[in-house]
């Protein structure tokens, strides 16, 4: 299972590098030049509004957004061993407002069997300085045939842009 997760993460990193190198363009890429910028990596605190019984309400997530409208996510939740990293898309819907959707595979932690997918749709509002955001998310799980499982879950999110910190030991 760990080997499979490592392979998926490596594949995501290669995908991100390819997208950046090829200058991937679409409507989101054109729109990303307008208004505040989402591009970059963010540390996000997610607070579930209606968590299932026994599930902690708060966890952290790392989200990376590319100028081409692609996003990649991984999470600190205890369920991380039962899910793949998430892939998704984003687009600007206002100067400081963005819509994102991401999906990941869910698996049985004991057998590794595929349980289906989970979709997270969110509306993100960037701060005036572009270094933080707040978001509202709606989450839905699906079985292997694409049928909804259970009701929707809701969450609020607060994100902080990660800064580049140059190595102080280098000239």
């Amino acid at each position: 299972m760990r080997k499979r997760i490592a392979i998926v993460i490596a594949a995501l990193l290669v995908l991100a590098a390819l997208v950046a190198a090829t200058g991937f363009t679409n409507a989101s890429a054109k729109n990303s030049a307008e208004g505040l910028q989402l591009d970059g990596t963010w540390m996000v605190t997610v607070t579930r509004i209606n968590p299932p019984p026994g599930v902690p309400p708060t966890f952290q997530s790392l989200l990376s957004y590319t100028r081409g409208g692609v996003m990649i996510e991984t999470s600190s939740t205890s369920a991380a061993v039962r899910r793949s990293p998430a892939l998704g898309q984003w687009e600007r819907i206002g100067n400081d407002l963005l819509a994102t959707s991401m999906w990941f595979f869910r698996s049985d932690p004991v057998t590794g069997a595929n349980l289906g997918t989970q979709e997270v749709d969110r509306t993100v509002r960037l701060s005036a300085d572009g270094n933080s955001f707040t978001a509202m998310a709606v989450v839905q799980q699906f079985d292997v045939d694409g049928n909804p499982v259970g009701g929707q879950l809701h969450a609020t999110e607060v994100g902080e842009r990660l800064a580049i910190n140059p190595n102080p030991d280098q000239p």
Side-chain angles (χ1 to χ4, degrees), residues 89-110:
Q89 303 174 92
W90 68 272
E91 67 181 10
R92 182 176 304 287
I93 57 176
N95 181 56
D96 63 348
L97 204 58
L98 305 114
T100 75
S101 291
M102 69 181 194
W103 300 264
F104 58 83
F105 292 104
R106 298 178 304 110
S107 60
D108 183 292
V110 176

Side-chain angles (χ1 to χ4, degrees), residues 19-80:
V19 168
T22 60
F24 181 79
T25 60
N26 64 16
S28 292
K30 293 174 188 159
N31 289 342
S32 72
E34 302 167 10
L36 297 170
Q37 301 301 309
L38 184 62
D39 314 355
T41 300
W42 301 76
M43 180 64 72
V44 181
T45 300
V46 179
T47 303
R48 296 176 180 110
I49 295 171
N50 55 339
V55 174
T58 302
F59 65 93
Q60 289 193 302
S61 175
L62 278 172
L63 284 165
S64 289
Y65 297 93
T66 70
R67 193 170 287 267
V70 173
M71 62 180 290
I72 300 169
E73 182 268 357
T74 188
S75 133
S76 72
T77 102
S78 60

